[in-house]
Amino acid sequence: MYDLWIGSVIAALAVGALVWGLIFWCVVRYRKRGDQLPVQTRYNMPMEFLYTIAPILVVCVLFYYTAVVQTDVDRVKNDPNMVTVEVVAFKWNWQFNYRDGAGEDANTVASTLGSSDVIPVLVLPTGRRIRFEETSKDVIHSFWVPELLFKRDVFPGNVRNVFEVESINQEGPYVGRCAELCGTYHSMMNFELRVVSPDEFDRFLQAKRDGATTQEALTSIGEEPLATTTKPFDTKRTVSNFNPSGGE
């Protein structure tokens, strides 16, 4: 996707430079030089032919490379070493379920649930294929990790948006966000992706299976227990919000 984007920008700049050059050339070449009008022409067949064919060729080339990249991005594989995560979105937070296989019939072996007080941390390993299976409890949300250069809508109902990432190569924390306007606290519906080594991931998942909380499991592998790229939002849930007097 990155290569397609860079290539498209370069092509657009090249076309823009050509058009700007022609505009400035015409401004200089055909500027007013007295009261006599320059020769007026009705049409120029070669130019009109070029202006018709060139955009069609540009669209065809972009369509071809877009189709190739989209097919590659949407490809799913049957990899036994793959990590499967069910992403459950709800207003206005996230639940991440680690599954023992693909599909709705698989079992959840560990889970991380976000709240207004704690940002959910999704822990994943480097060097392994990751399968995301997304679903929503209410409205359309969007699972977005900006550094991974992708986002995918999360739909309610029986729709499961499934996609896979070949591998994540760099360890560290990455902020995650909802990229779909979903209500009052949409802008604060964040999570954190924490990428660790495969060995640390296995120890983290085992700690979760043994009953540890996400924060305890993160601490056990030497990671920060709470999110470092974002923080919980202030819900402003104070006594005064509930109008206890029932008056004005």
Side-chain angles (χ1 to χ4, degrees), residues 11 75 118 133 150 187:
R75 182 179 292 112
V118 178
E133 299 183 356
F150 73 86
S187 64

Side-chain angles (χ1 to χ4, degrees), residues 39-247:
V39 177
Q40 304 296 299
T41 57
R42 287 187 173 184
Y43 57 85
N44 186 310
M45 286 300 295
M47 291 297 291
E48 291 186 12
F49 182 78
L50 175 64
Y51 287 156
T52 302
I53 297 300
I56 294 176
L57 293 177
V58 170
V59 170
C60 289
V61 171
L62 288 176
F63 178 83
Y64 169 77
Y65 283 106
T66 299
V68 170
V69 172
Q70 179 176 298
T71 300
D72 183 60
V73 169
D74 288 338
R75 182 179 292 112
V76 294
K77 297 181 179 179
N78 186 18
D79 186 348
N81 195 40
M82 181 170 56
V83 176
T84 301
V85 178
E86 182 183 46
V87 177
V88 182
F90 58 93
K91 295 191 292 188
W92 285 273
N93 223 307
W94 304 87
Q95 180 176 352
F96 303 116
N97 300 322
Y98 299 91
R99 312 276 278 180
D100 61 2
E104 295 184 63
D105 297 332
N107 299 312
T108 297
V109 298
S111 183
T112 295
L113 177 64
S115 68
S116 299
D117 301 318
V118 178
I119 293 290
V121 178
L122 172 60
V123 181
L124 292 175
T126 58
R128 293 177 63 181
R129 192 172 186 86
I130 312 295
R131 178 187 179 96
F132 296 94
E133 299 183 356
E134 301 176 336
T135 184
S136 171
K137 293 293 187 182
D138 35 53
V139 298
I140 298 176
H141 299 278
S142 187
F143 181 83
W144 182 35
V145 180
E147 283 80 0
L148 298 186
L149 305 180
F150 73 86
K151 60 181 179 179
R152 286 296 180 102
D153 285 345
V154 187
F155 300 104
N158 296 324
V159 180
R160 292 175 75 85
N161 194 351
V162 177
F163 69 100
E164 296 177 3
V165 174
E166 186 71 30
S167 66
I168 305 175
N169 300 322
Q170 186 173 346
E171 297 182 16
Y174 301 88
V175 67
R177 308 186 185 280
C178 175
E180 183 75 25
L181 183 58
C182 57
T184 305
Y185 293 113
H186 154 70
S187 64
M188 303 168 187
M189 186 175 165
N190 298 338
F191 63 94
E192 181 170 288
L193 171 62
R194 190 79 59 83
V195 182
V196 299
S197 68
D199 178 66
E200 290 175 329
F201 174 75
D202 291 337
R203 289 193 285 120
F204 166 83
L205 197 57
Q206 186 58 53
K208 289 284 293 177
R209 286 176 169 175
D210 293 339
T213 65
T214 299
Q215 286 67 46
E216 292 171 343
L218 282 169
T219 302
S220 69
I221 62 173
E223 290 284 329
E224 289 290 330
L226 299 175
T228 60
T229 59
T230 184
K231 60 183 180 180
F233 62 90
D234 183 8
T235 61
K236 300 180 181 179
R237 291 176 179 171
T238 61
V239 175
S240 59
N241 293 134
F242 297 94
N243 194 15
S245 64

